[in-house]
């Protein structure tokens, strides 16, 4: 007698990443939403997402998920779906970046240093800044006569800015913002006072941070 049997001809699932776009930059702590489209002749699919930095970041039945604690830096994201028989779709990938905040420290004016050969109350402000992502940095210097009242006195892509026409016997407060193209970071606040040096036309300043 002929034997009866049943079997399933299983097709390989198909899948594509639909979000985020390749090369997107996110701020640390942002809610990063991942989306995918998948099709298969079976109804139950498992969506699998991996980061080369953080490892598996999702495995489940939803085509959409979000995460807000990815590590700072570049991530190679890979994705595939698996059907109930263990067959996987072709692996898809994209690159995203979680931005490193730039860092900045004020370096001058420093305490008890003479400013040589400067006239009309000219002071050069200096700082050190870095960015782990290698982004181009721009700076804005703020100056005021109190910590509650700052005004911008100039912007630059250098690590210094010269400001003139400052008054003597006035305590000035200053700070610098650094912008990496994705976010601003504000430095601490420095303060200094200019004093005329009698008979030389030069200026000195004292400073504390």
């Amino acid at each position: 007698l002929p034997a009866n049997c049943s079997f399933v001809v299983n097709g390989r699932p198909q899948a594509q990443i639909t979000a985020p776009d390749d090369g997107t930059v996110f701020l640390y702590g942002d809610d990063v939403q991942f989306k995918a489209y998948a099709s298969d002749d079976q109804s139950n699919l498992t969506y699998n997402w991996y980061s080369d930095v953080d490892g598996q970041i999702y495995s489940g039945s939803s085509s959409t998920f979000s995460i807000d604690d990815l590590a700072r830096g570049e991530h190679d994201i890979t994705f595939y779906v698996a059907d109930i028989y263990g067959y996987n779709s072709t692996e898809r990938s994209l690159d995203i970046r979680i931005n490193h905040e730039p860092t900045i420290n004020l370096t001058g004016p420093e305490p008890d240093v003479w400013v040589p050969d400067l006239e009309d109350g000219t002071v050069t402000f200096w700082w050190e800044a870095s960015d782990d992502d290698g982004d181009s940095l721009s700076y804005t210097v703020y100056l005021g006569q109190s910590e509650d009242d700052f005004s911008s006195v100039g912007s630059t892509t250098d690590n210094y800015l010269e400001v003139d026409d400052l008054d003597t016997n006035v305590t000035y407060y200053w700070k610098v913002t650094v912008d990496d193209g994705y976010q601003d970071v504000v430095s601490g606040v420095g303060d200094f006072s200019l004093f005329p040096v009698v008979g030389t036309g030069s200026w000195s300043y004292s400073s504390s941070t």
Side-chain angles (χ1 to χ4, degrees):
L1 295 175
N4 294 322
C5 64
S6 61
F7 59 91
V8 174
V9 178
N10 187 55
R12 187 175 189 178
Q14 303 296 312
Q16 295 287 342
I17 298 172
T18 58
D21 292 332
D22 187 49
T24 302
V25 177
F26 298 92
L27 303 188
Y28 181 74
D30 276 356
D31 199 36
V32 182
Q33 189 170 68
F34 293 90
K35 296 181 180 180
Y37 169 78
S39 63
D40 190 51
D41 49 16
Q42 307 298 320
S43 59
N44 295 320
L45 293 173
T46 301
Y47 294 75
N48 299 282
W49 296 82
Y50 293 85
S51 159
D52 65 333
V53 176
D54 290 325
Q56 186 174 70
I57 54 177
Y58 180 79
S59 180
S61 59
S62 176
S63 62
T64 301
F65 83 101
S66 61
I67 185 171
D68 63 4
D69 60 353
L70 291 175
R72 294 173 177 84
E74 300 280 351
H75 291 255
D76 180 13
I77 302 295
T78 55
F79 161 74
Y80 68 89
V81 297
D83 66 16
I84 59 176
Y85 298 106
Y87 286 91
N88 297 338
S89 68
T90 299
E91 189 173 271
R92 307 297 181 180
S93 64
L94 78 158
D95 294 321
I96 64 171
R97 192 180 96 196
I98 308 301
N99 194 54
H100 284 91
E101 303 90 341
T103 62
I104 184 166
N105 293 296
L106 306 182
T107 58
E110 297 178 352
D112 304 319
V113 173
W114 293 87
V115 179
D117 300 324
L118 297 181
E119 298 179 354
D120 300 324
T122 299
V123 169
T124 302
F125 298 91
W126 296 86
W127 53 88
E128 295 177 345
S130 63
D131 184 77
D132 285 348
D133 299 315
D135 294 322
S136 297
L137 302 178
S138 59
Y139 312 94
T140 301
V141 178
Y142 294 86
L143 190 65
Q145 296 185 22
S146 82
E147 294 187 63
D148 300 318
D149 184 21
F150 285 101
S151 298
S152 171
V153 292
S155 297
T156 181
T157 56
D158 295 318
N159 67 330
Y160 65 92
L161 183 74
E162 189 176 274
V163 178
D164 53 21
D165 294 326
L166 299 183
D167 295 325
T168 59
N169 301 316
V170 172
T171 298
Y172 287 101
Y173 298 87
W174 69 291
K175 64 183 179 181
V176 182
T177 62
V178 53
D179 184 357
D180 66 354
Y182 301 99
Q183 64 190 122
D184 292 331
V185 172
V186 183
S187 73
V189 175
D191 66 89
F192 65 96
S193 299
L194 284 173
F195 297 95
V197 179
V198 178
T200 65
S202 299
W203 300 86
S204 68
Y205 61 83
S206 61
S207 169
S208 61
T209 56

